[in-house]
Amino acid sequence: MDVKELEAYFRSLDRSFFVDDDMKKYADLDKPLPIGFGQTISQPSLVLEMTRLLAPEKDSKVLEIGTGSGFQTAILAKMSAEVFTVERIEKLMEEAKKRLDALNFTNIYYKVGDGSKGWQEHAPYDRIMVTAAARVLPDELVSQLANGGRMVIPIGPPDLQELKLVTKADDGRIHIKTVELVRFVELKGQYGWNA
Ligand code: SAM
């Protein structure tokens, strides 16, 4: 991944475009902000850090769980070949798609549903980014990760989680590294909280 290109695109992206009118005045703050339905657009510095960790390449096929506002999706789509993004709240997905269409992305595929089970139809994925806190590492996501692939996922209870970098070696062996403590909204569904 070209880190300079990532940072330049990150700086060029107007975060106020991804939030409702009443939140636009806070868009420059390095804070998560509400996007409705009890969900948030993530803290920008964490979006950048998680993308660096994921390290998508220009030919990568990426699965994103938790489209939210579409802010992270735009960055992934800029830095990779294709992004398959799953969001459980239809209205959030509709709004995100409108924004991403307006930015002229043609390499993003959208699904409304329980992303904790991944998106089997298009697997395997070179990269998997999960932007909500899982209860455990979802088996389906591990099995949908390609050999040589990387997954970034917060795992832990709703108040505080460990951000994990999961790598799958060329021989299929899994390695899990804890990167730091983070705080995300809950992943719902089969591998999430309060399904
Ligand atoms: N990355 C997003 C952004 O840049 O705006 C922020 C994502 S927000 C922190 C987490 C999102 O995950 C929410 O929109 C939430 O509805 C979604 N979510 C939670 N559980 C989910 C599930 N099982 N499948 C798909 N999306 C889920």
Side-chain angles (χ1 to χ4, degrees):
M1 180 183 64
D2 181 341
V3 175
K4 285 212 159 40
E5 185 191 0
L6 167 65
E7 289 173 352
Y9 185 64
F10 174 80
R11 279 194 302 272
S12 76
L13 206 51
D14 177 6
R15 193 172 177 241
S16 71
F17 180 62
F18 293 85
V19 294
D20 292 339
D21 286 348
D22 56 338
M23 285 295 134
K24 288 193 190 298
K25 58 178 178 290
Y26 304 120
D28 286 342
L29 299 177
D30 191 26
K31 301 272 183 206
L33 295 173
I35 55 172
F37 305 92
Q39 306 303 321
T40 54
I41 180 171
S42 306
Q43 183 179 355
S45 57
L46 190 53
V47 171
L48 183 60
E49 188 190 343
M50 287 171 70
T51 312
R52 275 204 208 101
L53 265 180
L54 191 75
E57 298 294 345
K58 285 292 178 187
D59 59 355
S60 293
K61 185 184 196 184
V62 179
L63 174 66
E64 179 192 37
I65 309 304
T67 318
S69 68
F71 181 71
Q72 170 81 81
T73 320
I75 294 170
L76 294 173
K78 177 72 180 176
M79 300 304 297
S80 65
E82 292 178 309
V83 178
F84 294 82
T85 187
V86 186
E87 169 59 55
R88 59 182 281 276
I89 300 174
E90 190 167 5
K91 183 74 179 144
L92 286 180
M93 177 63 95
E94 276 171 24
E95 294 297 318
K97 183 173 186 313
K98 268 189 229 159
R99 295 182 186 116
L100 294 160
D101 285 348
L103 293 175
N104 295 322
F105 283 109
T106 55
N107 59 340
I108 304 173
Y109 304 90
Y110 302 85
K111 179 179 174 178
V112 175
D114 177 10
S116 78
K117 294 186 285 190
W119 191 346
Q120 176 63 48
E121 195 185 341
H122 301 286
Y125 302 96
D126 304 303
R127 301 287 185 270
I128 300 181
M129 175 72 94
V130 183
T131 68
R135 188 168 41 83
V136 290
L137 181 61
D139 292 339
E140 271 94 333
L141 294 187
V142 173
S143 72
Q144 290 173 32
L145 186 64
N147 286 1
R150 296 163 76 86
M151 168 168 30
V152 173
I153 178 169
I155 301 180
D159 47 342
L160 198 62
Q161 306 97 33
E162 292 182 341
L163 186 66
K164 305 279 189 186
L165 173 62
V166 180
T167 48
K168 198 183 250 192
D170 290 338
D171 63 5
R173 266 184 300 167
I174 298 294
H175 180 262
I176 303 174
K177 181 180 165 193
T178 301
V179 180
E180 63 170 320
L181 291 175
V182 288
R183 192 170 185 172
F184 275 89
V185 296
E186 296 165 23
L187 184 77
K188 306 280 188 188
Q190 189 168 330
Y191 294 94
W193 300 91
N194 307 325

